[in-house]
């Protein structure tokens, strides 16, 4: 299992793309698609026209907006260059209504030359190829369901909180995982609402017995703070401050290199 951070910031961050990750198992799976993550995807060497599976945690723009140029590009490529495979989009309740509105509204989106399958998920596991994916609702926004995702492949695992606050579901999502990628929007010295700060990320990772903690989704104030030291007050394992295009290889022995 290979995990690459496509974006470790938020909407308008001077040096980071917004939220996005790609997980490579027996196929690439894209998780969230915030502003500027598409440009970073191009740098990974993954052929964007072979991507068949997208997972969305929720539809705040910093997790979603690069889907628009991605899909327009996919339609144009399929019409004028080469056939691409079908696209399956997974997301929380409301996914079908949102995408049907987008496809109906944006020019040239309504009749793509490939099939688009929309699937709403909430708390039941499903398979993409040989990868088991477990979504769980997180605590974030009263206006919409926000999901965290746990991906498991050949005995290896990675958990992604999406936007989240501390909750039993978040601990469950990260339980004994090889890699826990958590929402660290704030410094512990300047906490805010709807997201976690660094000390909370450390507490979650410790409670869940995660093997490695990756801090991500930084607002600028958090980025200027020593969030690793703050999280280390509560988590005894390895802690990495995420950055764009940082890659993790999760080996078969359940160690992250």
């Amino acid at each position: 299992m290979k995990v690459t951070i496509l974006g470790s910031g938020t909407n308008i961050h001077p040096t980071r793309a917004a939220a996005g990750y790609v997980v490579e198992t027996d196929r690439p799976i894209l998780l969230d698609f915030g502003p500027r993550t598409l440009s970073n995807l191009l740098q990974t060497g993954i052929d964007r026209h072979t991507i068949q599976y997208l997972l969305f945690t929720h539809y705040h723009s910093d997790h979603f907006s690069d889907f628009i140029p991605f899909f327009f590009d996919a339609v144009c490529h399929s019409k004028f260059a080469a056939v691409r495979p079908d696209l399956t989009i997974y997301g929380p309740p409301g996914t079908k209504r949102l995408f049907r509105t987008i496809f109906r509204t944006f020019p040239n989106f309504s009749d793509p030359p490939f099939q688009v399958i929309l699937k709403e998920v909430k708390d039941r596991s499903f398979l993409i190829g040989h990868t088991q994916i477990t979504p769980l609702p997180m605590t974030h926004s009263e206006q919409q369901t926000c999901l965290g995702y746990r991906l498991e492949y050949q005995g290896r695992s990675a958990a992604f909180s999406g936007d989240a606050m501390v909750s039993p579901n978040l601990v469950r999502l990260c339980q004994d995982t090889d890699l826990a990628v958590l929402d660290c929007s704030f410094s512990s010295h300047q906490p805010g609402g709807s997201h976690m700060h660094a000390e909370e990320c450390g507490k979650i990772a410790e409670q869940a017995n995660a093997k490695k903690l990756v801090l991500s989704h930084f607002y600028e104030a958090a980025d200027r703070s020593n969030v690793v030291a703050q999280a280390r007050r509560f988590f005894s394992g390895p802690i990495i401050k995420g950055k764009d295009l940082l890659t993790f290889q999760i080996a078969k022995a359940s160690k992250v290199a």
Side-chain angles (χ1 to χ4, degrees):
M1 178 185 283
K2 179 179 177 181
V3 175
T4 301
I5 300 176
L6 299 179
S8 54
T10 49
N11 263 325
I12 304 298
H13 190 292
T15 60
R16 298 176 183 269
Y21 308 89
V22 62
V23 182
E24 297 173 73
T25 55
D26 56 345
R27 63 203 66 201
I29 300 170
L30 200 64
L31 196 158
D32 280 344
F33 220 158
R36 303 180 302 285
T37 55
L38 179 56
S39 295
N40 284 341
L41 176 65
L42 300 182
Q43 296 186 54
T44 66
I46 297 170
D47 182 354
R48 66 193 181 279
H49 300 302
T50 65
I51 292 176
Q52 296 177 259
Y53 301 97
L54 305 183
L55 306 177
F56 285 104
T57 60
H58 65 304
Y59 297 111
H60 284 150
S61 62
D62 58 328
H63 292 254
F64 171 70
S65 66
D66 263 13
F67 172 79
I68 302 300
F70 168 82
F71 192 78
F72 184 78
D73 173 68
V75 170
C76 290
H77 177 85
S78 297
K79 286 183 176 179
F80 306 118
V83 175
R84 69 153 287 142
D86 296 337
L87 185 67
T88 303
I89 299 170
Y90 296 85
T95 291
K96 292 180 180 180
R97 176 175 53 83
L98 173 66
F99 280 94
R100 286 169 181 165
T101 300
I102 289 172
F103 296 152
R104 192 168 57 245
T105 304
F106 277 73
N108 303 318
F109 276 34
S110 61
D111 189 24
F114 50 89
Q115 186 177 8
V116 180
I117 301 104
L118 302 174
K119 296 192 176 185
E120 295 186 350
V121 296
K122 192 170 183 181
D123 56 7
R124 299 182 69 174
S125 297
F126 57 93
L127 289 174
I128 294 179
H130 295 288
T131 305
Q132 178 173 294
I133 300 174
T134 302
L136 283 176
M138 299 290 102
T139 303
H140 173 53
S141 168
E142 294 182 0
Q143 287 73 41
Q144 59 180 319
T145 301
C146 181
L147 299 176
Y149 288 99
R150 180 187 180 101
L151 283 72
E152 299 176 81
Y153 178 73
Q154 295 184 346
R156 291 155 282 174
S157 59
F160 301 84
S161 69
D163 285 359
M165 292 187 285
V166 173
S167 71
N169 265 3
L170 181 54
V171 176
R172 179 182 166 196
L173 188 83
C174 298
Q175 192 67 50
D176 298 317
T177 194
D178 293 296
L179 195 69
V181 184
L182 298 186
D183 171 5
C184 185
S185 292
F186 298 112
S187 159
S188 303
H189 306 307
Q190 293 179 293
S194 302
H195 301 271
M196 290 187 290
H197 58 72
E199 288 186 359
E200 290 175 322
C201 292
K203 291 176 181 179
I204 289 292
E206 187 69 22
Q207 290 175 39
N209 192 38
K211 294 181 177 64
K212 177 170 281 192
L213 169 61
V214 178
L215 305 174
S216 191
H217 198 271
F218 300 109
Y219 285 94
E220 289 184 63
D223 212 1
R224 293 191 295 266
S225 184
N226 192 343
V227 290
V228 171
Q230 293 164 20
R232 188 170 285 129
R233 291 185 57 196
F234 296 94
F235 180 58
S236 56
I239 303 172
I240 301 295
K241 184 177 183 181
K243 63 180 180 180
D244 293 8
L245 297 175
L246 183 63
T247 294
F248 301 90
Q249 292 278 1
I250 305 178
K252 289 185 179 180
S254 294
K255 294 180 181 179
V256 181

